[in-house]
Amino acid sequence: MESFSTYTLISQVKLAFGAIVSTFLISSCSDPAVVGIELAPGNNQIGVFFEEFELPAQVVLLDSFNTTNQGVLIVGNEEDPFFGKTEGIGFSRLYIEVIEDRPRADAILDSVVFNLDIVSVNGADLDKPKFYSIHKLAEPFLDTVYYNYDKLLYDTKPISSGTIEFGEVKDTTASFAVNDAFAVELFGKMQSGNEFSDLFSFRKYLPGVAIKARTGDNTTAGIALGFKTGLLVYYHYKGDTSSIEYQITTASSRSFNSVKSERSGTPTSIVTEKGKAYNVGTLVGMKANLGMVIKLNTSPLDAFLDSLTGATFNQADLVIGAIEPVSQGQNPLPWLTAYFTDNTNEVISRPSDSQPLTVQADGQPQVDFDSEGNEQPSFLAPAVAAYNIEKKVYLMPITSHLNALLRGKIVRKDWLLYADKPDTQARDSPGDDFKRSFRQFLVDKTKIKVKVIYSKTR
């Protein structure tokens, strides 16, 4: 009898995939190797099978969600039936170059504007005006870590405000006039005050700003910090019509994102304790900057693996979706990473060096060695579940991970899905993607599955 190569068998799997009309769950009392769909019945040497099973899902509100210095301020007001009302306010210090020439006493003020370098927009009715306001802080920043539940006092009357219609434009610079009273005061300090003699004196006078969006706009903007976001002062001298520019920017400045969440009357209203897993109904979801993530119970992997002998995984994927429809103007989270966790609902780290542990990418080492030569889980190449915009699903290849579990190289752990694409080799990483937007998605719990193609010698 002609034997089939592994490549031929996998090709048959792909051809037969569309004909599969029923799902055999591992929760049944049958041996998965028996109930699996055998795709090469004429081969008496090797069998290829397909299995899929669900991973139970809950939601967790992460504790200690540090949003300090993420490089982007998340400014918006959003409301939906699952996550409720979410408001983001961005706080930032301001910065001056003390060596820059200050206007002389005879300088004439032309104008003062506040620019916002908008690099992303998610929201509804983007063809309608969205309102933003900039407020002077009433208390200074501290050289400490700020979390998404922190906030600073600020003046209720803004120093600048304005509207913008985004339409199809998702990256632009918005320029808003500064109110006359503050502009005159600021220019006077620049001309003759000690407030601009050094950075400490300046920040004592102007500790920083809070940037807010209007309630009801249901839109969130990502505002990049740096030389393009901040105050621009224009002035000239008598007899010279050309304006001189003085910059007060958010470059080299401490910042953080503050989040206020009101979830009354929603499925997530029961999520009150940080670090606790909750069952919230038929749907589960994740929302960036709020710090709400999905926890997956991976114990069905044990039931599957314990029933196998002499098996090799040809292909295994974590598949999430199709996700619930996303409204126009909104974008779901672009990718997910699966961090190891347990009943503490915290990320598990390696004892040897405190590196956080994740499912590792296919084709990458699943283990390495500590300084004493003992095997330990690897961390250098996290697997990523990328979002497929056409199929509306997230897919994470986990073939190497399952093979390592089957052979006892690593110990099974539950997973916390986190919407970041970590790169441990990057030295200039711009920040944590899960702290740089209010992006979200929802999915039916029955659509979170592991799908496996495995071969088994007879």
Side-chain angles (χ1 to χ4, degrees):
M1 179 180 294
E2 180 181 0
S3 62
F4 291 86
S5 68
T6 301
Y7 177 83
T8 302
L9 292 174
I10 294 176
S11 297
Q12 289 183 348
V13 170
K14 294 178 179 178
L15 291 173
F17 213 81
I20 296 172
V21 296
S22 62
T23 298
F24 295 89
L25 299 179
I26 298 310
S27 57
S28 70
C29 61
S30 300
D31 181 349
V34 174
V35 300
I37 299 174
E38 187 175 349
L39 300 178
N43 184 356
N44 62 3
Q45 294 186 9
I46 197 168
V48 174
F49 305 88
F50 170 78
E51 291 288 345
E52 69 173 40
F53 48 90
E54 299 170 15
L55 297 184
Q58 298 173 294
V59 300
V60 175
L61 194 61
L62 296 178
D63 195 9
S64 301
F65 197 66
N66 176 3
T67 62
T68 310
N69 294 345
Q70 292 302 314
V72 172
L73 298 182
I74 307 306
V75 181
N77 272 275
E78 297 187 0
E79 182 174 0
D80 71 46
F82 190 84
F83 295 104
K85 298 178 181 179
T86 309
E87 179 185 16
I89 302 176
F91 292 89
S92 178
R93 278 175 172 165
L94 296 173
Y95 173 80
I96 59 170
E97 290 281 4
V98 295
I99 62 173
E100 186 174 352
D101 290 337
R102 295 163 58 179
R104 302 192 307 262
D106 61 335
I108 302 169
L109 176 64
D110 292 329
S111 63
V112 183
V113 298
F114 202 106
N115 286 344
L116 301 178
D117 181 19
I118 298 174
V119 293
S120 64
V121 179
N122 276 277
D125 300 320
L126 296 180
D127 57 336
K128 296 181 180 179
K130 307 299 180 181
F131 180 84
Y132 297 91
S133 58
I134 299 95
H135 303 253
K136 178 182 176 181
L137 291 186
E139 64 174 312
F141 266 81
L142 301 177
D143 292 325
T144 187
V145 172
Y146 286 95
Y147 300 94
N148 63 343
Y149 51 76
D150 286 322
K151 60 182 178 179
L152 296 174
L153 297 175
Y154 55 86
D155 294 343
T156 56
K157 184 178 180 180
I159 60 172
S160 180
S161 62
T163 60
I164 181 171
E165 295 179 15
F166 293 105
E168 298 297 322
V169 177
K170 300 299 176 67
D171 56 339
T172 186
T173 299
S175 185
F176 303 140
V178 169
N179 70 56
D180 292 342
F182 179 72
V184 170
E185 174 195 317
L186 180 70
F187 193 65
K189 301 290 186 184
M190 291 173 60
Q191 287 177 294
S192 57
N194 293 326
E195 291 84 355
F196 282 76
S197 59
D198 60 76
L199 188 58
F200 296 104
S201 298
F202 168 72
R203 285 177 172 166
K204 185 175 181 181
Y205 161 63
L206 187 54
V209 292
I211 304 178
K212 297 183 60 180
R214 179 171 57 190
T215 301
D217 276 353
N218 211 24
T219 295
T220 299
I223 300 170
L225 299 177
F227 290 103
K228 293 182 179 180
T229 293
L231 288 156
L232 287 180
V233 181
Y234 297 96
Y235 63 95
H236 71 279
Y237 293 100
K238 188 175 181 179
D240 188 352
T241 58
S242 60
S243 280
I244 302 170
E245 179 184 285
Y246 186 96
Q247 288 187 315
I248 302 172
T249 73
T250 52
S252 304
S253 298
R254 181 169 289 271
S255 64
F256 73 96
N257 293 309
S258 178
V259 179
K260 181 180 179 182
S261 175
E262 172 52 56
R263 299 187 292 275
S264 299
T266 71
T268 55
S269 63
I270 64 172
V271 184
T272 55
E273 295 183 41
K274 294 180 184 294
K276 180 179 177 180
Y278 288 88
N279 291 309
V280 292
T282 58
L283 299 177
V284 289
M286 297 175 63
K287 189 171 182 68
N289 228 44
L290 176 61
M292 188 170 290
V293 300
I294 295 173
K295 179 183 181 180
L296 297 183
N297 178 349
T298 63
S299 61
L301 293 177
D302 281 344
F304 175 52
L305 297 174
D306 288 349
S307 63
L308 296 180
T309 57
T312 298
F313 298 114
N314 304 317
Q315 181 178 335
D317 298 309
L318 170 65
V319 182
I320 299 174
I323 65 171
E324 295 295 294
V326 178
S327 60
Q328 185 176 3
Q330 295 281 2
N331 296 293
L333 294 157
W335 41 62
L336 308 173
T337 304
Y339 283 85
F340 290 179
T341 191
D342 52 24
N343 290 335
T344 67
N345 300 316
E346 296 179 353
V347 174
I348 296 174
S349 299
R350 302 197 311 186
S352 64
D353 52 16
S354 299
Q355 292 289 349
L357 294 175
T358 67
V359 174
Q360 295 294 286
D362 271 4
Q364 298 297 318
Q366 303 295 300
V367 296
D368 55 32
F369 299 91
D370 62 19
S371 59
E372 297 180 355
N374 300 312
E375 271 192 342
Q376 60 182 354
S378 184
F379 73 95
L380 287 172
V384 174
Y387 180 66
N388 185 311
I389 193 171
E390 295 181 355
K391 296 181 179 180
K392 314 298 183 187
V393 302
Y394 293 90
L395 188 145
M396 178 187 291
I398 57 171
T399 312
S400 297
H401 180 76
L402 257 62
N403 274 316
L405 286 175
L406 181 65
R407 285 153 181 75
K409 293 291 186 179
I410 56 177
V411 177
R412 180 195 62 80
K413 298 294 182 182
D414 291 337
W415 300 338
L416 279 180
L417 298 182
Y418 191 87
D420 191 16
K421 188 179 181 182
D423 183 356
T424 57
Q425 305 302 317
R427 297 182 180 180
D428 57 349
S429 176
D432 182 335
D433 290 298
F434 200 52
K435 299 172 182 176
R436 293 161 58 87
S437 75
F438 272 153
R439 289 190 180 193
Q440 63 186 54
F441 76 88
L442 298 176
V443 65
D444 190 306
K445 290 194 295 187
T446 63
K447 296 180 180 179
I448 301 177
K449 297 182 178 181
V450 171
K451 298 185 178 184
V452 187
I453 301 170
Y454 65 97
S455 55
K456 186 176 178 182
T457 56
R458 295 183 184 278

